[in-house]
Amino acid sequence: MGLEEDQGQLGRHPGEEDLIEVTKMATKKFTKMEHASADDLIFGEAKYPLSYGLGMKVGAGSVVPEINFAPRPGSEKSPESLTKEYVDYIATDIMNRAVTLGFPAVQLENEWISQMGANSEKFAKPVVIGQKAVLKKFNDEYGIACAIRHTVADQREGDAGLKPGMDKVHAYPEKFQESIEVAAANGADVLSVESVGGKEITDYAVVRQDIKGWLFGGGYLGPIDMEWVWPQIVSVANKHKIVPGGDTYCASANTSMFMAGGYLDKDIPRTFAAVSRAIAASRTLVAIECGATGPDKDCGYEGPIVKAISGRPSAQEGKGAQDAHADLMGNLIAQTADLWSNESVEYHPEFGGSSVQCWLGVIGYEAALMNASKQLKQDKTLRDIYVASDRFRCPEAFILSYDNAYQIGQAIVENGNNYYLRSKAAGLKAAELIQASNNAGKLKLSKQEKDTLNKILTDLKSLPDEEGKFVDW
């Protein structure tokens, strides 16, 4: 499978020696691609498909809509009101609309709000139990395949400490561990998280357009933290016989993407966002190296790179996520999706029903289009149309096009045993691909984007080939 056993890197950050007991965590790192070529990458098909939940099949020949949601402000005032919002309104509305529209399958994703993570027994447990009961009811009555992913809240704060025993104020590391168990034990079919390790560095680096700092936070410290997070999630998921899904570097790579924005935005160059996204793939991959099986998280736009390397099912979001944010690759990112998501929408009424019902229609019909293209053997044609519509819209879309995503994946696995080297290689490959396309007159860049790209290339090429020297840089 292209994996090599490794005892991992030390699970500590600089300066933590006196605060935690250091342990080594076994991982299996990718040293070759699971897919033989970029053309193998296609929506609705994964090399390692999954079956879970109530008849759910993912990556097994069809795309499934994954609807994500958030409760209205004020519903969190008590466990009872929160449960009513999530169970009686949100989950029930979704399942009613899915059956009404004739969708054969649907997956729900509950990204936990802070109150659920802060007191998981009180606020989260009844929600998890209640939502699963709704799914079972509709599966029993109508035969619709369904499942629910619970993405627990990672509220750990870098300045307070990311490991148990360090946060003396909130005990967020311990609450994170408790949340994993509560979700898995009470009804989750897929267990995920948007972990935050390294974010305290990447936030500092992104506003300064410091790619070396971003590499240190996202490509080195982030993976080390993942080696602490994900063996725990996998262990709990396996104990309860559910799926350890995957992670995302939404906390940092999406920050870059949102700051880069569109054509009227000037906060940071889009070339910086593109290169940081490539680096993020090296970090997101660690979850799978620790035993996660996919489907990974929808907001991880690095998903095509991770799928190319691992062969695991991928969740993606794009044009169906306009309820949450805009991006410059709304069609393209559907190219390799096995679950197609709306990102998240606050529950409220719309003319066509509740918000979750309306946005389920948007993503559900897109999934139906993808599935029809498969039945007509036109899926690769549709994939290439998706890509062509956005490929040159921005540098980030360009490097995530499946052919370029595959090349970035190759750069990662060629250095697969070392987080720093593979993250640096991913960033360099992305920057080189952008530069080559711009030189050929295809991908258009502004002067600011060119200047930033040249600086990124200079900075990354100047870095040492030894991890220890980089850490001491």
Side-chain angles (χ1 to χ4, degrees), residues 39-55:
D39 193 53
D40 291 344
L41 296 169
I42 185 69
F43 52 76
E45 295 177 33
K47 186 173 182 178
Y48 302 104
L50 295 168
S51 297
Y52 56 82
L54 301 169

Side-chain angles (χ1 to χ4, degrees), residues 326-368:
D327 62 51
L328 294 176
M329 59 195 98
N331 286 317
L332 178 145
I333 204 66
Q335 62 187 342
T336 60
D338 301 299
L339 292 166
W340 185 237
S341 171
N342 68 310
E343 216 298 325
S344 188
V345 65
E346 181 189 286
Y347 184 73
H348 61 260
E350 298 278 6
F351 287 155
S354 66
S355 56
V356 292
Q357 292 178 319
C358 295
W359 285 95
L360 173 62
V362 171
I363 60 174
Y365 276 114
E366 191 70 29

Side-chain angles (χ1 to χ4, degrees), residues 142-206:
Y142 302 104
I144 184 172
C146 50
I148 185 164
R149 182 203 302 261
H150 281 274
T151 300
V152 300
D154 184 3
Q155 300 179 84
R156 295 174 300 151
E157 298 176 351
D159 55 354
L162 301 182
K163 304 285 181 67
M166 298 177 70
D167 184 348
K168 305 299 184 182
V169 178
H170 303 291
Y172 282 142
E174 291 83 355
K175 289 175 180 177
F176 170 63
Q177 292 173 317
E178 292 166 5
S179 296
I180 297 168
E181 180 65 34
V182 167
N186 291 288
D189 296 305
V190 180
L191 200 55
S192 288
V193 68
E194 299 179 16
S195 59
V196 299
K199 180 174 171 59
E200 64 275 20
I201 305 297
T202 59
D203 281 354
Y204 183 90
V206 69

Side-chain angles (χ1 to χ4, degrees), residues 273-325:
V275 173
S276 65
R277 178 69 67 186
I279 294 169
S282 173
R283 175 195 177 276
T284 299
L285 184 66
V286 178
I288 296 173
E289 292 174 325
C290 290
T293 62
D296 60 7
K297 278 280 297 164
D298 57 330
C299 54
Y301 280 70
E302 63 270 18
I305 304 171
V306 176
K307 183 176 180 178
I309 296 170
S310 69
R312 297 293 178 177
S314 179
Q316 293 296 156
E317 66 190 39
K319 60 184 174 183
Q322 302 301 304
D323 52 349
H325 61 78

Side-chain angles (χ1 to χ4, degrees), residues 55 68 73 86 98 115 201 261 342 369 424 441:
N68 197 335
Y86 270 125
Q115 289 81 1
I201 305 297
N342 68 310
L369 174 66
K424 182 178 77 167

Side-chain angles (χ1 to χ4, degrees), residues 212-230:
K212 291 184 286 187
W214 211 101
L215 175 66
F216 181 62
Y220 177 70
L221 295 180
I224 292 174
D225 182 65
M226 292 272 280
E227 278 197 356
W228 178 78
V229 168
W230 270 95

